[in-house]
Amino acid sequence: MKTELIRNILSLKAENQPVELSGWVRTKRDSKNLVFLQVNDGSCFSSIQLTFDREKGISPETEDTLKKITTGTSVVAKGILTVSPGKGQAVEVLTENIKILGEAPAETYPLQKKNHTFEFLRENAHLRARTNTFGAVARIRSQMAYALHTFFQEQGFQYVHTPIITTSDAEGAGEMFQVTTLDLKALAEKAVSAGNKGMQPEKAASLIDYSKDFFGKPANLTVSGQLEAETYATALSRVYTFGPTFRAENSNTTRHLAEFWMCEPEMAFYDLKDNMDTAEAFVKHLLNWALTKCREDMEFFDQRIQKGLIETLTNVVNSEFIRITYTDAVKELEKHNGNFEFKAYWGCDLQSEHERYLTEQIFKKPVIVTDYPKEIKAFYMKLNEDGKTVRAMDVLVPGLGEIIGGSQREESYDKLLSRITELGLKPEDYWWYLDLRKFGSVPHSGFGLGFERLLLYVTGMSNIRDVIPYPRAPKLADF
């Protein structure tokens, strides 16, 4: 029973041609002689109006069907596409036949014709994509993923699928979800028994025999695909990975998720400048795609979610990004420390308020900050000659702050080994990563873009849990 998408029907010139469509009823208006249904199938923001004219005759079966239709009912309908006399719509369907596919009883269907809070919709995440806001978010998410692939494919990058399960901590922060097949209940019982027999708590770890675990050693969900992507960059020159990553950070804020998607390109023979050029072009490509390919949804976000959103994104697309070192950026921020909750000083990790002040007040355009202190950046970033800073770069945009973080990677075996040891990491956990520096090592760079963070920026939504289909956060994994 394949029917035409409403998006395609709305693009047609009305010439009294027959059409067949399906979707879910948003609203029903019933007057003396006319019945109007607004039907949406999710293919676009707009709904299409189905009109029933009693003066032209409606069969008893159709009248009975119309009485059963409520908000949320799924239907399939046939009719004639004609010019609409109503305001705000170019065409409508003079409906000849309609059939209910699935009822949505008004007394139990959660999404009635009224405003629902985002909190309420999060509690009904299995249905929220049927609303205007979350339907638009879903379409933008799909288009941004397509735009992401388009950019890299057109630049000669290869798409690499990096593992979700790993034994390496790419960030060195230790905030990872452990993956195990060991019987935790049995281990707990064993620990209680050992304790009753006098075993001291500090020896309890010896009760865990990882040789009996699935992978034979501790394994975790990945926090990043970067390290594995680097192995392919040193063989294929330019690669990118795009997939889910996981952080066991016990943070219950509007900016944190436990499961989120990351896009991470890695490029051999690229230095820091090349990295910045690619990141700037990438951001502009994504925002321009949203503005041109998703105009109807973007206009909704601009009108209903964040006023001025389209203007903000357009300005970023048309701007030349400022490039400034961390040291110079801090000097500028120190002049305005009275405006900040957290004072800026050399060695501090820039806060969101600092990043936004740089882009919105000082430079009034996007900014790329480079050469951060090594103490606040990851072990794999290339050391500068001063021994104090690394060739890192963060891309900051007005209205958000950091949207991309990256660096030139350390290509020296000795220097990388020294950093790993200095930070208390185990070199044996990174033996294969170190091998890349022993065999045909080359200068290389890369960056990461948090996909949900991009979506927050593009849509103007304020809570990161509202730009992913099913959010995962502390105490939240219900759907």
Side-chain angles (χ1 to χ4, degrees), residues 276-315:
M276 290 189 288
D277 291 343
T278 302
E280 179 174 343
F282 184 43
V283 170
K284 290 181 175 180
H285 171 84
L286 293 173
L287 301 188
N288 186 59
W289 190 287
L291 291 167
T292 57
K293 307 280 189 180
C294 314
R295 196 67 186 186
E296 186 180 27
D297 287 322
M298 289 302 301
E299 287 174 352
F300 166 77
F301 289 122
D302 187 77
Q303 294 166 11
R304 299 291 298 274
I305 303 299
Q306 182 180 310
K307 298 289 186 183
L309 176 63
I310 289 177
E311 181 182 4
T312 296
L313 301 185
T314 301
N315 288 339

Side-chain angles (χ1 to χ4, degrees), residues 168-189:
S168 301
D169 184 352
E171 298 298 324
E175 296 172 333
M176 305 180 77
F177 289 100
Q178 187 170 353
V179 176
T180 183
T181 56
L182 294 176
D183 187 335
L184 301 184
K185 180 174 181 292
L187 279 173
E189 292 171 351

Side-chain angles (χ1 to χ4, degrees), residues 150-298:
T150 300
F151 176 83
F152 289 116
Q153 292 293 327
E154 291 178 352
Q155 297 289 327
F157 284 67
Q158 308 299 325
Y159 181 29
V160 175
H161 299 147
T162 52
I164 288 176
I165 299 174
T166 180
T167 58
S168 301
D169 184 352
E171 298 298 324
E175 296 172 333
M176 305 180 77
F177 289 100
Q178 187 170 353
V179 176
T180 183
T181 56
L182 294 176
D183 187 335
L184 301 184
K185 180 174 181 292
L187 279 173
E189 292 171 351
K190 188 176 181 181
V192 170
S193 176
N196 290 337
K197 294 176 181 178
M199 176 178 275
Q200 297 302 305
E202 57 268 20
K203 295 184 178 180
S206 65
L207 297 173
I208 303 174
D209 185 358
Y210 280 108
S211 68
K212 295 179 180 178
D213 205 354
F214 188 89
F215 295 105
K217 59 167 57 177
N220 304 281
L221 296 180
T222 186
V223 298
S224 169
Q226 175 201 317
L227 304 190
E228 291 85 357
E230 283 187 53
T231 68
Y232 273 77
T234 56
L236 304 179
S237 291
R238 302 177 191 177
V239 303
Y240 70 103
T241 181
F242 179 49
T245 56
F246 307 85
R247 303 278 172 95
E249 182 179 359
N250 192 17
S251 182
N252 225 332
T253 75
T254 60
R255 295 163 63 89
H256 289 87
L257 287 169
E259 176 186 332
F260 54 97
W261 282 61
M262 285 286 290
C263 172
E264 297 171 295
E266 291 293 326
M267 299 84 73
F269 316 109
Y270 272 47
D271 60 18
L272 186 61
K273 179 183 180 303
D274 302 322
N275 204 23
M276 290 189 288
D277 291 343
T278 302
E280 179 174 343
F282 184 43
V283 170
K284 290 181 175 180
H285 171 84
L286 293 173
L287 301 188
N288 186 59
W289 190 287
L291 291 167
T292 57
K293 307 280 189 180
C294 314
R295 196 67 186 186
E296 186 180 27
D297 287 322
M298 289 302 301

Side-chain angles (χ1 to χ4, degrees), residues 13-19 79-83 94:
K13 180 180 179 182
E15 296 176 335
N16 296 321
Q17 65 268 50
V19 293
I80 302 299
L81 187 67
T82 185
V83 174
L94 298 180

